[in-house]
Amino acid sequence: MDLSLSTRTEGGRTVVEVGGEIDVYTAPKLREQLVELVNDGSYHLIVDMEGVDFLDSTGLGVLVGGLKRVRAHEGSLRLVCTQERILKIFRITGLTKVFPIHTSVAEAVAATD
Amino acid sequence: MAIVELRFTALPEHVRTARLVAAAVARRAGVAESVLDEVRLAVGEACSRAVGLTRQVGADEPVTVTLDDGEGRFSIEVRDAVPQPAAVGAGEGSASSPFPGAAANGASLDVAESELGLAVILGLVDELDVRAGAEGGSIRMSWPSAKDKPGDEPV
C-alpha cells in the first residue's frame, strides 16, 4: 500500500489526513506536503494518523522536521493517533514527550498550548 | 532449519518488499502473531539503514537479508557492503564518524535518521548484534519461534 495524503481546514487548523505506509520510500512525499503547507503560511498543523498502517523512523524524522518548521513560525504540530502499534514507536523513541498526541481530530482542534 | 535469502538493489522502494517477506517467513516459522509487527518494523529499519548507507557512498552493491528459522529462534541478518571507516583505516578525515561520507556530503539528516532507526531497533529487539567492518556492516536480530517451546513442535 502506498501513502495517501489529503488536507483540509478545520477550526483554523490545517488537518493532514495520512493513510497507508510511511517508510523510507514514501516519507519524502509527506515531507514535501508539510514543507509546502508551511511555505504557504499554514503554521498550525494536525496530522491525522488514524489511517496509517505502518510508520518507521524515517516517518518520525519527517514529523520532527515538520515540527521544527512550524515552531520557527510560532506554530504547532499535533498528532491524532489511537493505534497502539504506532504509538509504541513514539514511546520507544521518547517522542511522546515532543508531540502532543490526541485521540481525535476534534480534540486536537480544540487543544490550546 | 530453513533459510530464505533476499538480495535487493539498495533502493527505498524495495524495503517494503523485505518487510513483507520477513513477516511472511516469520509467521511461517511460528513467531507469535503479537511479535510480527516488531519483526516487520525492525527489519524495515535495518534495511532502510543499509539502503541509506549504501546510497550515501554511491555504492551499487545490493543489500542482503537472511531469514533463518533454526535452533528454536527466528533470526534475521541484514548486511550491507559499505566499509565502515573505523575498520578501513584511521587515516581518513571522517574516521570519527560511524557513517562514511556523512561529513563530506552534508548528509547529517540522513545520519540522524539512521541513528533514529537504530534507536527503534534497540527499543524493539532484545537479541541484537550490530557489526561493522571493512567488508560492510550487519545487523542480526532474533526472536523466539514456536519451536522454542518444548512439546509445541509444529506438525
Side-chain angles (χ1 to χ4, degrees), chain A residues 6-17 33-34 37-38 41-48 76-78 105 109:
Chain A
S6 69
T7 61
R8 64 178 191 274
T9 307
E10 208 172 307
R13 314 281 175 97
T14 304
V15 181
V16 182
E17 203 176 304
Q33 174 76 83
L34 296 179
L37 285 170
V38 173
S42 302
Y43 304 139
H44 291 280
L45 307 180
I46 295 170
V47 179
D48 181 356
S76 62
L77 192 156
R78 297 173 179 281
V105 171
V109 168

Side-chain angles (χ1 to χ4, degrees), chain A residues 18 61 63 74 83 106:
Chain A
V18 190
L63 292 171
E74 313 281 304
Q83 298 186 72

Side-chain angles (χ1 to χ4, degrees), chain B residues 22-84:
Chain B
V25 177
R27 180 179 280 121
R28 191 171 171 75
V31 172
E33 214 46 46
S34 58
V35 185
L36 288 179
D37 273 340
E38 291 180 13
V39 173
R40 196 178 287 119
L41 183 56
V43 77
E45 295 290 357
C47 289
S48 300
R49 183 170 180 272
V51 167
L53 290 172
T54 305
R55 288 164 67 88
Q56 268 177 39
V57 296
D60 54 9
E61 280 87 356
V63 173
T64 307
V65 183
T66 307
L67 309 157
D68 186 353
D69 166 26
E71 296 163 15
R73 293 192 72 83
F74 173 69
S75 67
I76 301 179
E77 186 178 19
V78 177
R79 294 193 305 279
D80 63 66
V82 181
Q84 304 293 308

Side-chain angles (χ1 to χ4, degrees), chain A residues 13-78:
Chain A
R13 314 281 175 97
T14 304
V15 181
V16 182
E17 203 176 304
V18 190
E21 301 186 342
I22 312 177
D23 73 353
V24 66
Y25 178 53
T26 61
K29 290 173 199 160
L30 178 61
R31 180 183 288 129
E32 276 169 34
Q33 174 76 83
L34 296 179
V35 168
E36 197 179 307
L37 285 170
V38 173
N39 287 347
D40 291 346
S42 302
Y43 304 139
H44 291 280
L45 307 180
I46 295 170
V47 179
D48 181 356
M49 304 186 65
E50 289 297 76
V52 172
D53 302 311
F54 181 86
L55 173 76
D56 73 2
S57 63
T58 327
L60 292 178
V62 167
L63 292 171
V64 171
L67 182 66
K68 202 174 143 191
R69 282 172 203 280
V70 294
R71 278 193 177 162
H73 298 276
E74 313 281 304
S76 62
L77 192 156
R78 297 173 179 281

